[in-house]
Amino acid sequence: MKHHSSAASHGRGTTILNGVLAGIAGCAILGPALVVANAPIIEPAPKVAAPRQRVVPKAELPPVEPVAFVDLAPQDARAFNATVPFSTEPNPAARPFTFEGPADDLARATDCLAAAVLYEAGDDAVGEKAVAQVILNRLHHPAFPKTVCGVVFEGSERTTGCQFTFACDGALIRRPSEPGWIRAREIAAAALSGSVYKPVGYATHYHTDWVVPYWQSSLDKVAAVHTHLFFRWTGWWGTPPAFNRHVLSGEPVIAKLAGLSDAHGLATAVAAADEANATLAAMSLNTRGLAPLPTDPNSFLTTIDPRQPPESFQALALKACGDRPRCKVMGWSEPGAMGFALPLNDEQIAALSFSYRRDRDAKLEKTLWNCAEFPRKIPAQCMKRQVMRATPVAAPVVAVPEQPVAGPIPELNGVRRKQDAATRATPATAPVAIIPKS
């Protein structure tokens, strides 16, 4: 009996084991089938109808295509851009570049570059450095203009064809914050003084990851900086030896920057004045040729015509000062309020309409307008009005002649005699003058 019970238990164990194995086998068969039957839908990356990649030979200058985008929704563009691989070729850093040229050329180049990095990269210091490097790379490439401003504003004279969208899309109407503009100019100045942003190498093109430009197919993707993707030409034109051109002198004046940049605003005014000699004659300027004061060859006092553009006052001041290391020009729109000698009195200072000061030893050059008369978009260009409080001045003491007295002066019981009220001095407060502080 005992032996029979053991055999029965062994049979039941075998049956259970076989059932477990059968269940496992069934899961092994049914599991993949269920996964296949209920597989998640994976949408393929959108197809982009872009030109086939063509490697431009060394003997042929690569074309610079205007900015044109494939018609894709932002999410589709991002999906497509994610499928574009990065180049596996070396990505060496660009050579340092130091701007060499006259001070006015450097000033215009700095502000062109600052405007580009600020309006293209926005409030992103790293992105601004990357954009600055692309512009300098273009500056040294034979396919692009040979001045900084020429590169930045290439194609802006046409309705289509801008290489940087901010130059054509009206973005310059929006005024940047003062801290943002200062930082952009610092980044631009550093780039023009040898600073290199290494991650983008010799990239000459970039775009945000939510668009797909048509030119993308003919370039190699070399870097990503936040939401921007950077590209260089495929083949020899993307290698360091191709970046062999020297910068030309004579940075162009960009009228679109006149309201943002003193360098371009002043140059625009000078050009306008040179083209219209009649305008210069109409400025009256004491019409004796804006001669310096006999007592100070570095100072000019003159009248100005309020009907003329405010920038023209600055142009005329610059012409008057010439190459003087120190110079001062002050102008009044009201001839009757003008000063004719230094120092000026309070009324003449308060009536000032315009002033220009230069002191190269102190690295000072400042142009100011009376903004109550000539409104300016940049507050720093306005004369500051300051309240001058005068020290109280005592009124003169009036002497009362002594009257002859007959007999002894009578004594007052217990009270000292007081000086007559008419002999006491009453303090008088001088008038308060409000003057513009330059």
Side-chain angles (χ1 to χ4, degrees):
M1 286 294 292
K2 185 175 181 181
H3 175 73
H4 178 74
S5 176
S6 175
S9 297
H10 178 73
R12 285 195 300 273
T14 301
T15 301
I16 293 171
L17 179 60
N18 290 337
V20 171
L21 292 175
I24 292 173
C27 290
I29 296 172
L30 292 176
L34 290 172
V35 170
V36 171
N38 297 279
I41 298 174
I42 301 176
E43 295 184 4
K47 294 182 178 180
V48 175
R52 293 184 59 187
Q53 187 180 55
R54 175 176 175 264
V55 178
V56 180
K58 182 179 179 180
E60 178 186 341
L61 192 66
V64 179
E65 302 292 340
V67 177
F69 301 103
V70 179
D71 186 14
L72 286 175
Q75 64 272 19
D76 292 334
R78 283 194 174 97
F80 174 80
N81 287 323
T83 68
V84 178
F86 287 95
S87 172
T88 58
E89 296 295 323
N91 184 34
R95 292 187 296 271
F97 166 68
T98 300
F99 189 95
E100 297 179 357
D104 54 348
D105 271 8
L106 176 58
R108 289 197 286 272
T110 300
D111 286 352
C112 280
L113 189 56
V117 303
L118 181 61
Y119 284 93
E120 288 286 296
D123 189 20
D124 178 1
V126 174
E128 289 178 354
K129 293 177 182 179
V131 170
Q133 188 62 57
V134 166
I135 291 170
L136 295 188
N137 289 346
R138 287 188 169 205
L139 186 64
H140 289 95
H141 199 283
F144 299 96
K146 298 280 83 61
T147 62
V148 176
C149 293
V151 169
V152 171
F153 287 89
E154 182 180 9
S156 63
E157 71 281 359
R158 303 188 299 269
T159 55
T160 59
C162 276
Q163 291 297 304
F164 298 95
T165 53
F166 87 96
C168 285
D169 66 1
L172 284 167
I173 296 175
R174 302 192 304 271
R175 310 303 301 175
S177 67
E178 187 171 356
W181 178 241
I182 291 173
R183 183 183 66 187
R185 292 192 82 252
E186 290 174 348
I187 289 173
L192 294 173
S193 300
S195 178
V196 175
Y197 186 72
K198 297 179 180 180
V200 301
Y202 281 92
T204 50
H205 296 69
Y206 65 84
H207 66 80
T208 55
D209 64 0
W210 60 80
V211 297
V212 178
Y214 281 103
W215 50 251
Q216 188 199 86
S217 62
S218 61
L219 283 79
D220 289 337
K221 185 164 76 172
V222 296
V225 178
H226 299 165
T227 59
H228 283 76
L229 305 174
F230 291 80
F231 299 79
R232 68 179 179 218
W233 266 303
T234 300
W236 186 84
W237 288 109
T239 62
F243 296 79
N244 57 10
R245 293 300 173 91
H246 295 291
V247 180
L248 297 179
S249 60
E251 286 287 335
V253 177
I254 307 299
K256 291 182 178 181
L257 292 181
L260 180 64
S261 162
D262 285 342
H264 290 275
L266 177 58
T268 300
V270 169
D274 287 342
E275 292 175 3
N277 292 327
T279 299
L280 288 177
M283 293 295 296
S284 81
L285 295 180
N286 241 2
T287 58
R288 291 176 295 182
L290 195 56
L293 293 177
T295 57
D296 185 352
N298 296 315
S299 295
F300 299 80
L301 305 181
T302 184
T303 57
I304 58 176
D305 187 344
R307 297 169 297 178
Q308 301 302 322
E311 288 75 15
S312 62
F313 310 150
Q314 188 179 29
L316 290 163
L318 187 66
K319 283 181 174 291
C321 289
D323 294 329
R324 291 174 172 84
R326 292 186 301 105
C327 187
K328 182 181 344 183
V329 178
M330 289 176 282
W332 290 262
S333 62
E334 290 291 337
M338 175 183 166
F340 292 91
L342 295 178
L344 302 175
N345 62 37
D346 289 348
E347 289 77 13
Q348 292 165 343
I349 294 174
L352 264 175
S353 300
F354 167 81
S355 72
Y356 171 81
R357 292 180 59 197
R358 174 198 295 170
D359 188 338
R360 287 178 178 162
D361 290 340
K363 297 182 179 180
L364 170 69
E365 188 166 16
K366 181 179 291 187
T367 306
L368 298 174
W369 287 262
N370 183 335
C371 289
E373 190 175 2
F374 302 105
R376 306 296 295 171
K377 295 179 180 178
I378 302 175
Q381 295 178 347
C382 295
M383 293 177 175
K384 295 180 181 178
R385 302 186 71 81
Q386 176 175 321
V387 177
M388 302 295 293
R389 301 191 180 279
T391 303
V393 179
V397 177
V398 178
V400 179
E402 295 182 1
Q403 300 295 327
V405 179
I409 299 175
E411 295 290 339
L412 299 179
N413 294 330
V415 180
R416 295 182 59 188
R417 295 196 62 170
K418 297 182 180 179
Q419 186 181 28
D420 188 277
T423 65
R424 294 200 300 269
T426 302
T429 302
V432 175
I434 300 178
I435 67 172
K437 180 182 178 183
S438 61

